[in-house]
Amino acid sequence: MVLSVIGVICLVAAVSYQIFGRHVLNNTPTWAESLSLLLVLYVTMLGAAVAVRDAGHIGFESLVNLLPEAGQRRLQIVIHLLVLLFGALMAWYCGQLAESVHSYKIPNLGLSEGWKYAPATLSGALIVLFSIEHIIALLRNQKVVPAWH
C-alpha cells in the first residue's frame, strides 16, 4: 500500500506538470501522459492486491453467514482458493503477455511495453500469497490482521 501511495503522489505530480506545461508554458510535455497511464496501472494493481490481503474485495458474506460455523469456514477456504486461482492465472497470463510485447516500446517513454503488464503480474503473485495467508489463518482459527488501518 505504501508503494501505491507513492505511486499516487507521482501520478499527481506528473499530471500537474502536464497541466502546468500545457497552460502556463504552452509546451505540453509529451511523456507526462504516458507516465500517468503507466502509474495508474501500478497504483490500481497494487491496491487490488492489498484489498485481497485486507479482505476488502467483494465477498459472499450473506451466503457465508447462513451456514453453520463449520460450513462457514469451509466456504471461506473455497472462496480463498478461487481467489488464489484467479491470482495465479492473472500472474501467469499477464507475465506471458508482458514477455510477448517486451520488444515494443511505449511511445514518449522509451520503456518496454512489458512494463504495462508487470503490475498485473506482480499483483497476481501477491494475490496468491495473500490468499495462502488467509487459508492458513482459517485452518489455524486465526484472523488476518489488516495491513492498512
Side-chain angles (χ1 to χ4, degrees):
M1 188 54 104
V2 172
L3 290 176
S4 288
V5 170
I6 292 169
V8 168
I9 292 168
C10 293
L11 178 62
V12 168
V15 171
S16 298
Y17 183 68
Q18 182 180 15
I19 292 168
F20 179 78
R22 179 182 301 142
H23 295 290
V24 177
L25 302 177
N26 202 23
N27 184 11
T28 304
T30 57
W31 55 267
E33 183 177 356
S34 297
L35 179 62
S36 298
L37 292 172
L38 190 61
L39 286 170
V40 165
L41 293 172
Y42 279 87
V43 169
T44 304
M45 289 293 107
L46 291 174
V50 171
V52 170
R53 168 62 174 75
D54 291 350
H57 56 83
I58 297 172
F60 299 106
E61 284 81 18
S62 58
L63 177 61
V64 171
N65 292 336
L66 293 174
L67 298 173
E69 191 171 322
Q72 287 180 5
R73 195 167 130 215
R74 285 188 200 111
L75 184 57
Q76 287 174 339
I77 289 172
V78 168
I79 290 168
H80 287 295
L81 285 170
L82 290 172
V83 171
L84 183 148
L85 177 63
F86 171 79
L89 291 172
M90 185 170 82
W92 176 259
Y93 287 110
C94 288
Q96 285 188 329
L97 190 55
E99 184 180 335
S100 72
V101 298
H102 82 280
S103 61
Y104 302 110
K105 300 290 183 193
I106 298 172
N108 303 323
L109 289 180
L111 297 173
S112 166
E113 284 279 343
W115 285 105
K116 288 183 177 179
Y117 304 99
T121 305
L122 175 62
S123 178
L126 289 172
I127 286 171
V128 167
L129 293 175
F130 295 151
S131 296
I132 291 170
E133 179 184 23
H134 279 282
I135 292 168
I136 290 171
L138 284 167
L139 293 173
R140 292 181 176 176
N141 290 320
Q142 298 174 340
K143 295 271 185 189
V144 174
V145 179
W148 193 259
H149 317 276

